[in-house]
Every structure is written in structure tokens, then in C-alpha cells.
């Protein structure tokens, strides 16, 4: 392995480790937070920076090829579709009169 | 001219296949042409819109960079909340936007949702309802909104100039 290959390997590995950290934190957050809306924020860690760092790490390790172009498209598609799902769930919560911490509001007559 | 969408579809087809053979190319041309025809007939797709999109590429790249920066910042704030001893205290925040086009309003809602810690719950005309993870996110929403709005206004201005 030449010095440049080592540098590439180290940067790629560091980025993948960073991505794994955000993925693991997303799982921990899902267990730690007590209500569904807050868990959605925790899950967002993996969907955004977690997946970005993992894929950029893979991109650096594998070099530019058809495979890495597919990875870029996967990230872009994920970033376009994931907010829509979150928005739909949150909209249902608001329209059904749930409080920000996911409890049902008691309407006084 | 005007066949950019057809070419993009064909390139995606080849990219997903990972190799080029005569069979893949012929099927790709047929499928891409069908997608292009359906887009024109059903979704109001036009060459002018396509060219306007190409003209906006530098602004879109800038917007992407700003989005990644905001995603990193908000991810770090949510990580802090995950590892803190206290349970988060979520809030709803409401605001009105000055953006005029429906497309850019939806883009703003998407950007806010993509940054963890804030999720767009409702978008009704100019009115947004945002779910914030804690008071720190609530305070950070205003500058975040201002940054994204400025970028989206630039995108809009560029579109007006290309018309």
C-alpha cells in the first residue's frame, strides 16, 4: 500500500466510523426518548448524516465507478422521500389534536 | 433540444444496469421514450421548465451545500439531546413565510424536516407548524428558516431572470 492509498483508506474508514456513530446514536435515541414524535427526531440522525457519512466513506474507499454513482442516487432519493414520510406522520399527530409530546389533548366543553 | 429528460432517463437506465449491451441500450431507449411521452402528456412537463432547471444548477448546488451544513449542525445538537440525562421537552412552533411559490414553500418544509430536531407538521398556504425536539431547536429554528429562505429566494430570482 502506498502512502496515498493509506490516506484514502484512513479518511474512508473515519467517515464510515462517523456514519456508524450516528446510526448507533439513532438507535439509542429511539430507546431513550419516551414518545413517538421525539423518536422521529432521533431516527432522523441515521437517515441524514448517518447515511451520508457511510456513503461518502464508501465512495472514497471504492473510488469513482458505476457503483458509487448508484450510491449517490440512493442518498438523493432517500433525502427526497424521507421528509415526506415524517411530514405525514407529524401532520396526523397535529390534526388529531395530539400535544408535542405525543399525548392526546383533552378538549374542554 | 428538449431531450434532456430522455437522456437523463437513458443514463439512469444504463447506470442501474451497470453495463452497456445492445439489448440494454434498445430497451433503455424504448423505456426512456415512453417515460418522456407520459411526462409530457400527463404531468405538464415542458422544454421551457427543463431549461429553467438547468439554469438554476449553480444555485441548487449552493442550496445543497447550505443544507448539508445545517444538517451537520442540527445532527450534533440532536446527538447532544440523545446523550443528555434529561428527557427532551418538545414544542410546536408556528410562522408565516414570505415565499410566494408553492414549490419553494414545499422545498422550505422539506429542508426543515431534513434537519433533525425540527419536523414540518403542517403547511397551509404561508403558514407552517413545526415540531421542535427541545427549546434549543426552537431557538435555532428562526436562523435556520432565514438561511433557507434566503437561498430559496435566490433560486426564485434566477428562475425569473431566465424567463
Amino acid at each position: 500500500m502506498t502512502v496515498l492509498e493509506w490516506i484514502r483508506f484512513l479518511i474512508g474508514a473515519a467517515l464510515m466510523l462517523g456514519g456508524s456513530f450516528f446510526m448507533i446514536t439513532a438507535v439509542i435515541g429511539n430507546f431513550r426518548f419516551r414518545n413517538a414524535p421525539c423518536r422521529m427526531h432521533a431516527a432522523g440522525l441515521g437517515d441524514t448524516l448517518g447515511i451520508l457519512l457511510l456513503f461518502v466513506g464508501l465512495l472514497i474507499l471504492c473510488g469513482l465507478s458505476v457503483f458509487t454513482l448508484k450510491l449517490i442516487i440512493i442518498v438523493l432519493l432517500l433525502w427526497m422521500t424521507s421528509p415526506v414520510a415524517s411530514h405525514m406522520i407529524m401532520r396526523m399527530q397535529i390534526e388529531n389534536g395530539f400535544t408535542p409530546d405525543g399525548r392526546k389533548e383533552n378538549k374542554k366543553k | 433540444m428538449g431531450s434532456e429528460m430522455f437522456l437523463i432517463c437513458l443514463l439512469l437506465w444504463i447506470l442501474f444496469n451497470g453495463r452497456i449491451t445492445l439489448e440494454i441500450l434498445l430497451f433503455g431507449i424504448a423505456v426512456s421514450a415512453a417515460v418522456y411521452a407520459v411526462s409530457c402528456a400527463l404531468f405538464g412537463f415542458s422544454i421551457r421548465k427543463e431549461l429553467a432547471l438547468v439554469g438554476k444548477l449553480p444555485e441548487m448546488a449552493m442550496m445543497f451545500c447550505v443544507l448539508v451544513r445545517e444538517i451537520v449542525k442540527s445532527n450534533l445538537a440532536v446527538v447532544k439531546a440523545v446523550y443528555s440525562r434529561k428527557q427532551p421537552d418538545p414544542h410546536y412552533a408556528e410562522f408565516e413565510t414570505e415565499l410566494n411559490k408553492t414549490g419553494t414553500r414545499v422545498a422550505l418544509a422539506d429542508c426543515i424536516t431534513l434537519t433533525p430536531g425540527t419536523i414540518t407538521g403542517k403547511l397551509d398556504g404561508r403558514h407552517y407548524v413545526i415540531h421542535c425536539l427541545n427549546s434549543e431547536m426552537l431557538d435555532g429554528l428562526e436562523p435556520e428558516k432565514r438561511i433557507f429562505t434566503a437561498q430559496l429566494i435566490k433560486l426564485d430570482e434566477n428562475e425569473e431572470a431566465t424567463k
Side-chain angles (χ1 to χ4, degrees), chain A residues 21-22 24-26 28-29 32-35 37-42 44-50 52 65-67 69-70 73 76-80 82-84 86-88 90-95 98-102 105, chain B residues 11-12 14-19 64 67-68 71-92 109-111 113-123 129-134 137:
Chain A
F21 167 76
F22 282 102
I24 292 166
T25 306
I28 293 171
R32 251 191 53 70
F33 292 160
R34 289 194 190 127
N35 49 63
C38 292
R39 285 177 180 156
M40 279 167 65
H41 292 285
L45 291 174
D47 280 352
T48 53
L49 201 56
L52 180 74
S65 66
V66 175
F67 172 70
L69 287 174
K70 281 182 192 174
I73 290 172
L76 289 178
L77 283 176
L78 245 172
W79 280 16
M80 278 191 258
S82 128
V84 180
S86 308
H87 167 66
M88 291 311 289
M90 196 55 77
R91 189 175 160 182
M92 290 313 291
Q93 168 169 322
I94 292 170
E95 289 192 346
F98 283 86
T99 59
D101 54 359
E105 251 170 9
Chain B
L11 281 174
L12 275 177
I14 293 165
L15 186 67
F16 287 144
N17 275 289
R19 61 204 165 94
F64 184 75
L67 179 63
V68 171
I71 285 175
V72 172
K73 273 162 64 181
S74 55
N75 264 272
L76 294 174
V78 175
V79 166
K80 212 172 101 184
V82 169
Y83 291 116
S84 97
R85 284 169 184 270
K86 281 197 307 183
Q87 278 292 317
D89 175 28
H91 300 274
Y92 286 134
D110 264 5
C111 290
T113 307
L114 263 176
T115 49
T118 49
I119 295 176
T120 309
K122 209 170 174 183
L123 168 55
V129 181
I130 312 288
H131 184 273
C132 302
L133 181 66
N134 51 28
M137 295 293 170

